[in-house]
Amino acid sequence: MFNLELSETHQMIRDTARQFAQDEIAPSTIERDKNGEFPTDIIKKLGELGFMGMMVSPDWGGSGLDALSYVLAMEEISAVDASVGVVMSVNNSLVNWGLDTYGTDQQKEKFLTPLAQGLVHGAFCLSEPEAGSDATQQTTTAEQVDGGWVLNGTKNWITNGTTASTYLVMAQTNRELKHKGITCFIIDRNTPGFEPGLKEDKMGIRSSDTCSIGLTNVFVPNENILGGVGMGFKIAMESLNGGRIGIAAQALGIAKGASEAAIRYSTQRKAFGKPISDLQAIQLKLADMATKVEAARLLVYRAAWMKDQHLNYIKAAAQAKLMASKVAVDVALEAIQTHGGYGYVREYLVERYLRDAKITEIYEGTSEIQHIVIARELLKEL
Ligand code: CAA
């Protein structure tokens, strides 16, 4: 039975994340959003706090916490700055998880430990120019040579792409086997032929970096295959199940941040001789926003709880992401409306919430893909 009671550890993690976000992230959020500047120092400090390897065992440099702790931290960090949230999420959910679950001890020692300690961060390379939602259609190839493989192709929309040190790259090792012929390679950034492109100029999460990556005759030794030849698509899909919980928590944080900004503003702004929070038209908005945030929160915490209980959480994760991302966009829009003209200018925070919210309906599986995942799981339950 789903139990929402937070333990003392959970509460401490939430409070620590909230304080850190206020003290260390908030002061530079607006400036970094404007300049598109990567939060290098903040990520380093998040590493010191143990937030870059939250669910990894202390044996491999992590904090050994559960998924619920992770979403609590993600929510608080993203409520202040969703760009910082996504750097943390990709590292924890899409890179650490795969290495922790499928890595050999040597791979964990070499790659996972520095990632979990936050000394470096990672990127996950599945999407391609012609393979986004239809992820089985990988065209990046890996040809076997003496001692390893040679990769050629292009990856797109890679979060942390220009700043990461360790990349998990999916490539086709046997086209005839279709998705069962996809393999996951661990690639060090400095490998010859591995070339991150220019940072994309994005609408939102502007302080995080996203780029395409070219691979030209990139040699990867056999020992850098993760989970075995042909395991890449399975690793990618399983990683994304957990990743969707992380992005759902990011979206929840955005919605919480926007809703709280609207509540605060409504008590300060006066119209018709009183604070606008006294007006029923505004109260309706505040009540709707808060209710949507709570509904999203229940789904997000439940998905994390199911993961922690080792239950099948594929549907729960997709539902959490579908709902929380929609709530983030809806609430950000209403928060702008509550601010009136002030909501439409950069000086006030709420327009950034909307720009940041939109991507949560797109990356780590669009809302349309979440519908497919949910429907397929429902039909399996028959
Ligand atoms: N969990 C585990 N396994 C899954 C799965 C899931 N959620 N979804 C599919 N699979 C498995 C299936 O069981 C099947 O395995 P078997 O053949 O062994 O049975 C295999 O994957 C292929 O599945 P389908 O036959 O259902 O393939 P499909 O082409 O009909 O559908 C899809 C696959 C669900 C649409 C999948 O392509 C998908 O999830 N697409 C979205 C990809 C995505 O989320 N991309 C985001 C990239 S990361 C990112 O955003 C960048 C970033 O840096 C943040």
Side-chain angles (χ1 to χ4, degrees), residues 25 28-37 39 42 81 84 207:
I25 303 180
S28 59
T29 294
I30 294 178
E31 210 48 37
R32 280 183 293 99
D33 173 61
K34 268 190 202 148
N35 305 338
E37 185 193 329
I42 292 169
D81 193 332
V84 176
S207 168

Side-chain angles (χ1 to χ4, degrees), residues 161-179:
T162 69
T163 56
S165 292
T166 303
Y167 298 73
L168 298 187
V169 178
M170 310 310 143
Q172 194 65 252
T173 42
N174 185 338
R175 190 162 294 284
E176 280 169 25
L177 296 177
K178 300 189 172 143
H179 67 273

Side-chain angles (χ1 to χ4, degrees), residues 222-244:
N222 283 324
E223 68 256 27
N224 282 20
I225 286 182
L226 184 63
V229 173
M231 286 292 287
F233 197 71
K234 182 175 163 61
I235 294 173
M237 287 298 112
E238 289 179 2
S239 304
L240 281 164
N241 290 330
R244 287 165 187 165

Side-chain angles (χ1 to χ4, degrees), residues 16 23 29 38 69 148 184 194 218 222 254 265 283 354 356:
T16 304
D23 296 347
T29 294
F38 190 80
S69 305
C184 179
F194 188 81
V218 176
N222 283 324
I254 295 169
Y265 180 79
Q283 289 179 352
L354 179 62
D356 287 354

Side-chain angles (χ1 to χ4, degrees), residues 241-256:
N241 290 330
R244 287 165 187 165
I245 300 178
I247 298 305
Q250 183 201 27
L252 169 63
I254 295 169
K256 168 185 144 84

Side-chain angles (χ1 to χ4, degrees), residues 244-298:
R244 287 165 187 165
I245 300 178
I247 298 305
Q250 183 201 27
L252 169 63
I254 295 169
K256 168 185 144 84
S259 152
E260 288 174 356
I263 296 169
R264 269 195 310 275
Y265 180 79
S266 72
T267 61
Q268 292 154 7
R269 171 72 176 173
K270 290 207 172 92
F272 307 102
K274 51 189 173 188
I276 61 171
S277 56
D278 285 359
L279 302 173
Q280 205 174 41
I282 297 299
Q283 289 179 352
L284 288 171
K285 290 188 195 307
L286 301 183
D288 265 351
M289 283 189 272
T291 306
K292 284 178 179 170
V293 170
E294 285 301 338
R297 182 173 285 128
L298 284 173

Side-chain angles (χ1 to χ4, degrees), residues 311-336:
L311 299 168
N312 179 342
Y313 61 93
I314 297 177
K315 180 170 65 125
Q319 287 174 322
K321 182 177 184 289
L322 178 66
M323 173 64 81
S325 59
K326 177 156 178 31
V327 164
V329 172
D330 289 353
V331 169
L333 273 168
E334 278 300 69
I336 291 175

